[in-house]
Amino acid sequence: MYADDVVLLSSSEQGLQNCVNKLNKFTVDYKMTVNIKKTKVLVFNKSGRLKNIKISLGNQTLECVQNYTYLGINFSSSGSFQIAKKELYNKGMKAYFKLRKTFSVESPKPSTLLHIYNHTIRPILLYGSEIWGYIPHKKQIHLDNFISKETDYLVLEKIHTKLCKFSLGVNIKTSNMACRGELGSLPTLYYVIMNMVKYWIHLMKDIEPSNIILREAINLSHSMDKHNQESWIGSIKHIFKFLDLEYLFVNQSNFKQNHILKKVKTSLTIKFKESWLASLESNSGKCTNLQSGNKLRTYRKF
C-alpha cells in the first residue's frame, strides 16, 4: 500500500471479492472515494485471454482488462512482459532522440556520449528488468547460444546499437558487434542479467520475514523449478550454472553479498567477451570477393 494506491491479490474470484468488500468498508468508514475509472481487475491465465469476472466495489462493477500499467510496468494477463519491454523501448527512444537533438551540431567524444547514455537512457530501458528479465532453461537452450542471439534481438538493444553507431559516426548498416567491440561497450542483455542476480541476492539476504506475499512468490518459483517448470528462480540457477558458479547459488548463505556479486560480474563479463570473439570469428573471412566480402573481414584483420 502506498499513499494513494493499493493492490489486492487473490487466487480466486470469491477471495478477490472479499478483499474488495473490505476495501469498500474502509473507504466508507473514512469517507474516502475510490476512482472507479482507474480501478481495474486483471486475471492472470496461461492463454492471456480476457477473463470477465464480476467484481463489485459497493454498487459499481469493476472493469476487467488484459493489461494494466502499475508503477511504470505493463502487466499482461498472460504473464508476458513483451508489451512492457516495448513501452520501455518507446520511452528510451524519446530520450535518445532528445540526446541526438542536443548534439545535432557537434558531437562530443564517444566516451562522453556513452557516459550520458549509461546514466540517462539505459536506466529507462532497464526499469523493472529484475523481474521481466528471463533466461529460458528448460527447453535445451544453452545460454551461450542465447547470449549470441538475444544480444541483437532484444528490442532494448536497438537503442544501444544506434547510440554506438552515432557516437562513432558510422553508417547505420555497419556491423553491430564491430561497433560494440570498437567502443568496448557491453550489450543491454549483460545489465539485465546483472540486475536479475542483484535482485536475487537481495531476496535471499535482506527480505523481511513479514513480507509474506513476496516469500510465497519465491517459494512458488522454487517449487516450479523442482517440478521442471520454467520459473524466475530457475533462470537464476541456470545463470550460475552457466558461469560455473553453481556452488554460490546452492550455498549463498555462506558468502557475503559483495563476494557473490563480484564473482558473477567477473565471470559474466568474460562470457560476453568470449561470445563476442566467437561471433566475430564465425562471421568473418569466409569470402574472397572484395565487392561481396564480409563486412567484418577488415575489422577482424586489424
Side-chain angles (χ1 to χ4, degrees), residues 45 57 75 119 149 164 170 280 285 290:
N45 62 94
L57 181 68
F75 288 87
H119 291 83
K149 291 178 181 178
C164 289
V170 298
L280 194 65
L290 289 176

Side-chain angles (χ1 to χ4, degrees), residues 70-71 73-75 79-81 84-85 126-135 192 195-197 199-200 203 214 231-232 235-236:
Y70 179 65
L71 298 180
I73 291 291
N74 187 297
F75 288 87
S80 169
F81 286 103
K85 293 178 192 177
L126 295 178
Y127 180 71
S129 59
E130 292 86 348
I131 58 165
W132 60 248
Y134 169 71
I135 307 296
V192 171
N195 279 355
M196 291 173 66
V197 173
Y199 188 54
W200 172 79
L203 292 178
L214 189 53
S231 71
W232 186 84
S235 291
I236 300 296

Side-chain angles (χ1 to χ4, degrees), residues 126 128-135 143 147 188-207 218 231-250 252 255-269 271-272:
L126 295 178
S129 59
E130 292 86 348
I131 58 165
W132 60 248
Y134 169 71
I135 307 296
L143 197 51
I147 283 176
T188 308
L189 180 63
Y190 168 88
Y191 298 99
V192 171
I193 293 174
M194 282 302 302
N195 279 355
M196 291 173 66
V197 173
K198 286 178 184 177
Y199 188 54
W200 172 79
I201 293 172
H202 165 69
L203 292 178
M204 296 302 105
K205 299 283 187 179
D206 300 327
I207 182 174
I218 296 169
S231 71
W232 186 84
I233 286 291
S235 291
I236 300 296
K237 185 170 77 173
H238 190 57
I239 290 169
F240 276 88
K241 185 177 180 181
F242 169 71
L243 298 175
D244 298 319
L245 298 173
E246 205 167 3
Y247 68 95
L248 292 175
F249 178 85
V250 177
Q252 76 273 0
F255 302 94
K256 292 183 178 180
Q257 295 185 35
N258 290 340
H259 174 78
I260 298 175
L261 203 56
K262 187 176 180 180
K263 284 281 188 182
V264 170
K265 187 175 182 179
T266 301
S267 297
L268 191 61
T269 302
K271 288 289 186 181
F272 266 85

Side-chain angles (χ1 to χ4, degrees), residues 20 23-24 27 33-41 55-65 68:
V20 174
L23 171 66
N24 185 56
T27 56
T33 303
V34 175
N35 188 336
I36 296 297
K37 290 182 179 180
K38 292 183 178 180
T39 306
K40 309 294 181 184
V41 175
I55 302 295
S56 301
L57 181 68
N59 59 357
Q60 299 185 80
T61 301
L62 302 179
E63 180 188 4
C64 292
V65 295
Y68 192 81

Side-chain angles (χ1 to χ4, degrees), residues 31-246:
K31 303 186 186 303
M32 298 172 69
T33 303
V34 175
N35 188 336
I36 296 297
K37 290 182 179 180
K38 292 183 178 180
T39 306
K40 309 294 181 184
V41 175
L42 180 66
V43 182
F44 292 101
N45 62 94
K46 194 172 184 179
S47 67
R49 294 176 182 174
L50 178 63
K51 299 282 187 178
N52 274 309
I53 62 173
K54 190 174 181 181
I55 302 295
S56 301
L57 181 68
N59 59 357
Q60 299 185 80
T61 301
L62 302 179
E63 180 188 4
C64 292
V65 295
Q66 279 183 287
N67 301 91
Y68 192 81
T69 299
Y70 179 65
L71 298 180
I73 291 291
N74 187 297
F75 288 87
S76 171
S77 56
S78 67
S80 169
F81 286 103
Q82 291 304 317
I83 296 176
K85 293 178 192 177
K86 186 65 178 177
E87 289 185 353
L88 292 173
Y89 169 78
N90 292 335
K91 291 177 182 177
M93 280 300 291
K94 288 182 181 178
Y96 171 72
F97 283 130
K98 188 174 182 180
L99 179 68
R100 285 285 299 263
K101 188 177 180 180
T102 303
F103 298 111
S104 58
V105 178
E106 185 177 355
S107 182
K109 294 188 300 181
S111 58
T112 303
L113 272 174
L114 278 175
H115 179 83
I116 296 171
Y117 167 83
N118 291 341
H119 291 83
T120 60
I121 300 177
R122 193 170 73 195
I124 296 172
L125 302 178
L126 295 178
Y127 180 71
S129 59
E130 292 86 348
I131 58 165
W132 60 248
Y134 169 71
I135 307 296
H137 50 286
K138 298 298 182 186
K139 298 179 180 178
Q140 305 302 314
I141 299 176
H142 198 277
L143 197 51
D144 265 327
N145 297 330
F146 180 77
I147 283 176
S148 60
K149 291 178 181 178
E150 193 69 10
T151 289
D152 278 328
Y153 285 113
L154 183 68
V155 66
L156 304 176
E157 177 61 20
K158 292 180 181 179
I159 299 178
H160 176 234
T161 302
K162 287 178 184 291
L163 189 281
C164 289
K165 293 178 181 180
F166 172 62
S167 63
L168 290 170
V170 298
N171 188 282
I172 194 170
K173 293 184 179 180
T174 304
S175 165
N176 296 345
M177 75 173 79
C179 292
R180 283 194 294 266
E182 187 65 19
L183 292 168
S185 185
L186 288 161
T188 308
L189 180 63
Y190 168 88
Y191 298 99
V192 171
I193 293 174
M194 282 302 302
N195 279 355
M196 291 173 66
V197 173
K198 286 178 184 177
Y199 188 54
W200 172 79
I201 293 172
H202 165 69
L203 292 178
M204 296 302 105
K205 299 283 187 179
D206 300 327
I207 182 174
E208 295 290 335
S210 59
N211 200 330
I212 300 172
I213 292 177
L214 189 53
R215 285 199 171 277
E216 285 185 356
I218 296 169
N219 292 336
L220 179 59
S221 192
H222 273 292
S223 177
M224 290 172 67
D225 181 58
K226 287 180 181 178
H227 288 84
N228 208 36
Q229 295 175 304
E230 296 278 0
S231 71
W232 186 84
I233 286 291
S235 291
I236 300 296
K237 185 170 77 173
H238 190 57
I239 290 169
F240 276 88
K241 185 177 180 181
F242 169 71
L243 298 175
D244 298 319
L245 298 173
E246 205 167 3

Side-chain angles (χ1 to χ4, degrees), residues 275-296:
S275 175
W276 178 81
L277 283 169
S279 297
L280 194 65
E281 291 289 335
S282 63
N283 287 285
S284 301
K286 293 181 180 179
C287 188
T288 56
N289 188 321
L290 289 176
Q291 290 184 333
S292 60
N294 195 293
K295 293 180 180 180
L296 288 173

